[in-house]
Amino acid sequence: MTKTLQCGQFSFALDGAASLDPVVMGILNVTPDSFSDGGRYQGLEFALTHAEAMIRDGATMIDIGGESTRPGSPSVPLDEELRRVMPTLYALRTLDVALSVDTTKPEVMREALIAGADMINDVNGFRAPGALEAVLDSDCGLCVMHMQATPETMQQAPRYDDVVGDVIAFLAERIAAMTAASIDRARICVDPGFGFGKTVEHNYALLRGLGRIRDELGLPVLAGMSRKSMIGAVTGRPVEQRIAGSIGAALAATAHGARIVRVHDVAETVDALKVWRAAMHP
């Protein structure tokens, strides 16, 4: 396991006392059609206000997304994604928080890095032509995620021989491609892709297997389950009533070895993690 995760101007400890506190990544969707909060933070003023609130609540990273990746969602044209993301990124870059941009497009990656993004979070695993080249000459963090198929088709009967082993194999291949391109492993974290081409059973197998994913790949794990259908399947709650279930998932992910938790409800998650740490690590 690398000792730090390098994210642009930020460096996050992965061992020692600091490693007991996971990085809380607050979700900032600047899209009209996100499954959970689509349209709420489209305006620049609203996005900035929400980001500032998440930072006050304890977020140490903000993940800005300009393209919905909910099941069935179509791709957004490049110009439209840039129009959504770039003003928000420029407005937030003076804040004392790491800024991540959630995108699959190399052109957006390049523009985001010019604007000062600290991490690129790619649900496509940097597989698009030119993606690795777009991030090669920077010091930004890179989150490489597993997704079966595409957002438009990923929930159409996903199948695996061994979901944890298959996800590890995919991520290992992507890490090999990245290191072969001379990208430092200290910049890379991995995301098993909860809900991205997985059934409920697949998702919970991955949650239980986070420690195996971390140990076999030797890299920090990001877990993003906030308000997703895997929470609703267990609790029976609609998306707007999944805060408690999402907190439970974040705690479980942390207990299983996740180093970054990607959440909508920052204050509640931070409080729960403080209690969990006090109880587990005196």
Side-chain angles (χ1 to χ4, degrees), residues 210-239:
L210 289 182
R212 177 184 167 193
I213 295 170
R214 175 200 61 197
D215 294 343
E216 292 196 24
L217 297 175
L219 291 171
V221 174
L222 183 152
M225 296 171 281
S226 183
R227 302 185 187 175
K228 288 185 176 178
S229 60
M230 64 181 286
I231 309 297
V234 169
T235 64
R237 302 285 187 183
V239 65

Side-chain angles (χ1 to χ4, degrees), residues 23-41:
V23 173
V24 175
M25 172 188 273
I27 299 169
L28 182 61
N29 289 316
V30 287
T31 63
D33 56 350
S34 171
F35 82 97
S36 177
D37 50 11
R40 292 186 63 189
Y41 306 113

Side-chain angles (χ1 to χ4, degrees), residues 138-162:
S138 74
D139 60 357
C140 71
L142 303 170
C143 183
V144 54
M145 197 193 82
H146 174 275
M147 173 173 58
Q148 191 175 91
T150 68
E152 289 180 280
T153 63
M154 62 189 179
Q155 290 307 104
Q156 296 174 9
R159 294 174 59 87
Y160 299 89
D161 293 326
D162 164 17

Side-chain angles (χ1 to χ4, degrees), residues 68-99:
S68 175
T69 51
R70 77 190 192 285
S73 59
S75 180
V76 171
L78 171 62
D79 289 348
E80 176 62 17
E81 186 174 345
L82 287 170
R83 185 189 67 78
R84 296 175 183 178
V85 169
M86 296 310 297
T88 303
L89 179 56
Y90 277 112
L92 298 182
R93 65 180 181 173
T94 59
L95 302 177
D96 185 25
V97 67
L99 298 175

Side-chain angles (χ1 to χ4, degrees), residues 62-129:
I62 301 294
D63 192 41
I64 305 165
E67 179 176 49
S68 175
T69 51
R70 77 190 192 285
S73 59
S75 180
V76 171
L78 171 62
D79 289 348
E80 176 62 17
E81 186 174 345
L82 287 170
R83 185 189 67 78
R84 296 175 183 178
V85 169
M86 296 310 297
T88 303
L89 179 56
Y90 277 112
L92 298 182
R93 65 180 181 173
T94 59
L95 302 177
D96 185 25
V97 67
L99 298 175
S100 169
V101 172
D102 185 348
T103 186
T104 64
K105 297 182 178 66
E107 299 89 346
V108 177
M109 296 177 191
R110 290 192 185 92
E111 292 299 321
L113 291 173
I114 291 170
D118 300 293
M119 174 179 275
I120 301 296
N121 180 13
D122 184 359
V123 301
N124 194 42
F126 298 92
R127 289 181 289 173

